[in-house]
C-alpha cells in the first residue's frame, strides 16, 4: 500500500511499535527526521500524531480517506448568545438571516477522497528571510534598541527587519520581510521541494473530519473576538497536531489564488462587525469570496503571504 492511501482508521489501529516503524520508514523515504509519535486528544476526540522535521520545519502526518468537506448551514443551531449577537450585526449592516449568511460564507458540502500527506505544523511565510543573530543588520538594530527590552519584545525597522528578544535581551529570532507576489511565493515553496495546500486539503487539515461549524464544536465565546481570547480551543493545536486557523489576521493562501482560508485579514475584528462574525472567520469551511478576490488583485498587500506547506507521500 502506498502511504498516500493511509487512512485515519488504519493509522490509529496500528500498534505503537508498528506506528513507530511506519513513521521511520516515511522519514527515510523523504529525508526527514522523526520528531515523535504520540497520542493526543482534542475536543473530545483522540488521535495518534506523528511529527517530522525537515529543513527547519516541523510536519505532521495527516491521514487520508473519504471525507465530507464544506458546511450545511441548515444544520447549525446557534447558541442564544450567537443568535443575539448576529441579530445586532444584521440590523446594523443589513445582513440576511443567520442561516443564509453562514451558508454564503462557507464552502458547499462535498465528498472528496483525500490522500495522506505531511502538513506543516505552522504556517510558513515565503516573504520572510531568516537572519542569523550576528548578521550586521541585526547587530545594528540591537545597538539602536539601546538595551531597552523589558521582557519578550520585537523591534522592527522601517526597511522590513524584525528582531525578537527574550527577557534577557538575547536575540531569539531575526528575519527580513520582503514583498513578493503570489507567484513568487509559490515558486519559493517549489524551490524547497514543497507546495501549499489546495482548499480541500486545507479544510481537511484544519477540521480533521469534524462535522461541526468550528473544528472544536458549534459554540464560540460571546464576550470578545478571537484575538481577545489568548487561551481556548482555537489557540490549541488541532487533532492532527497543527497550529492552524487560530488568528483571523493570519489568513493562508492556497493553490487557488482567490481562495484564502483560516481568516479574513482581521477585517471583521478591526471593523467591529460583531463577535459572532469575528469568530465565524475561524470556521473550518470559511470562505470570503470578496476578500479572496481582493487579496488576488493588484490592490491586495503582499508583504505577508502565509502558506501551509505540504510534502506528498509516495
Amino acid at each position: 500500500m502506498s502511504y498516500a492511501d493511509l487512512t485515519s482508521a488504519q493509522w490509529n489501529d496500528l500498534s505503537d511499535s508498528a506506528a513507530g516503524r511506519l513513521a521511520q520508514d516515511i522519514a527515510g523515504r523523504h529525508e526527514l527526521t522523526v520528531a515523535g509519535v504520540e497520542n493526543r486528544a482534542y475536543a473530545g476526540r483522540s488521535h495518534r500524531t506523528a511529527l517530522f522535521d525537515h529543513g527547519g520545519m516541523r510536519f505532521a502526518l495527516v491521514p487520508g480517506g473519504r471525507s465530507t468537506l464544506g458546511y450545511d448551514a441548515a444544520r447549525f443551531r446557534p447558541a442564544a448568545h450567537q443568535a443575539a449577537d448576529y441579530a445586532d450585526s444584521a440590523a446594523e449592516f443589513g445582513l440576511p438571516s443567520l442561516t443564509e449568511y453562514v451558508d454564503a460564507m462557507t464552502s458547499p458540502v462535498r465528498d472528496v477522497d483525500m490522500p495522506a500527506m505531511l502538513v506543516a505544523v505552522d504556517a510558513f511565510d515565503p516573504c520572510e528571510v531568516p537572519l542569523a543573530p550576528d548578521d550586521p543588520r541585526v547587530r545594528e538594530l540591537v545597538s539602536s534598541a539601546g538595551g531597552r527590552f523589558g521582557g519578550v519584545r520585537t523591534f522592527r525597522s522601517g526597511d522590513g527587519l524584525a528582531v525578537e528578544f527574550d527577557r534577557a535581551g538575547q536575540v531569539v529570532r531575526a528575519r527580513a520581510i520582503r514583498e513578493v507576489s503570489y507567484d513568487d511565493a509559490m515558486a519559493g515553496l517549489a524551490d524547497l521541494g514543497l507546495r501549499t495546500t489546495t482548499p480541500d486539503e486545507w479544510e481537511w487539515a484544519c477540521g480533521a473530519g469534524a462535522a461541526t461549524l468550528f473544528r472544536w464544536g458549534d459554540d464560540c465565546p460571546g464576550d470578545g473576538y478571537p484575538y481577545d481570547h489568548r487561551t481556548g480551543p482555537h489557540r490549541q493545536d488541532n487533532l492532527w497536531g497543527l497550529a492552524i486557523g487560530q488568528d483571523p489576521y493570519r489568513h493562508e493562501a492556497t493553490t487557488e489564488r482567490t481562495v484564502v482560508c483560516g481568516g479574513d485579514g482581521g477585517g471583521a475584528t478591526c471593523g467591529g462587525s460583531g463577535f459572532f462574525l469575528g469568530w465565524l472567520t475561524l470556521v473550518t469551511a470559511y470562505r470570503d469570496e470578496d476578500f479572496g478576490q481582493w487579496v488576488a488583485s493588484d490592490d491586495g498587500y503582499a508583504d505577508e503571504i502565509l502558506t501551509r506547506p505540504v510534502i506528498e507521500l509516495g
Side-chain angles (χ1 to χ4, degrees), residues 30-246:
H30 297 86
E31 298 183 351
L32 309 169
T33 301
V34 176
V37 179
E38 59 187 20
N39 293 318
R40 62 175 286 107
Y42 178 81
R45 296 191 292 156
S46 60
H47 174 72
R48 175 191 280 129
T49 303
L51 300 174
F52 304 84
D53 288 334
H54 171 69
M57 295 186 201
R58 178 150 292 182
F59 289 80
L61 173 63
V62 173
R66 188 71 172 170
S67 175
T68 298
L69 302 179
Y71 190 73
D72 179 4
R75 295 192 293 106
F76 181 47
R77 298 295 179 265
H81 72 88
Q82 291 174 312
D85 192 84
Y86 181 78
D88 290 341
S89 297
E92 182 175 355
F93 299 107
L95 304 178
S97 71
L98 177 54
T99 299
E100 289 180 88
Y101 188 81
V102 171
D103 187 60
M105 301 302 289
T106 52
S107 65
V109 174
R110 64 227 184 256
D111 291 329
V112 297
D113 290 311
M114 300 301 304
M117 55 194 162
L118 303 182
V119 179
V121 169
D122 296 300
F124 174 70
D125 186 0
C127 300
E128 291 189 359
V129 179
L131 299 176
D134 61 352
D135 185 283
R137 291 168 291 179
V138 177
R139 292 204 304 267
E140 182 178 353
L141 188 62
V142 170
S143 177
S144 68
R148 301 184 302 275
F149 303 110
V152 177
R153 188 170 179 179
T154 300
F155 277 77
R156 300 180 186 275
S157 66
D159 58 355
L161 183 66
V163 180
E164 298 177 19
F165 302 93
D166 63 17
R167 294 183 180 277
Q170 300 300 309
V171 175
V172 296
R173 185 184 181 208
R175 60 199 188 280
I177 309 299
R178 60 193 177 113
E179 186 168 311
V180 301
S181 67
Y182 173 89
D183 291 337
D184 289 338
M186 297 304 108
L189 280 177
D191 288 343
L192 297 174
L194 306 169
R195 63 167 176 81
T196 195
T197 53
T198 68
D200 283 356
E201 289 170 345
W202 196 97
E203 278 191 38
W204 176 240
C206 180
T212 48
L213 185 65
F214 301 95
R215 62 182 177 275
W216 60 84
D218 286 330
D219 203 0
C220 60
D223 58 349
Y225 292 101
Y227 186 82
D228 300 319
H229 290 262
R230 309 312 297 175
T231 61
H234 68 301
R235 297 291 185 186
Q236 300 169 8
D237 290 353
N238 74 350
L239 189 66
W240 304 141
L242 307 178
I244 190 170
Q246 298 182 335

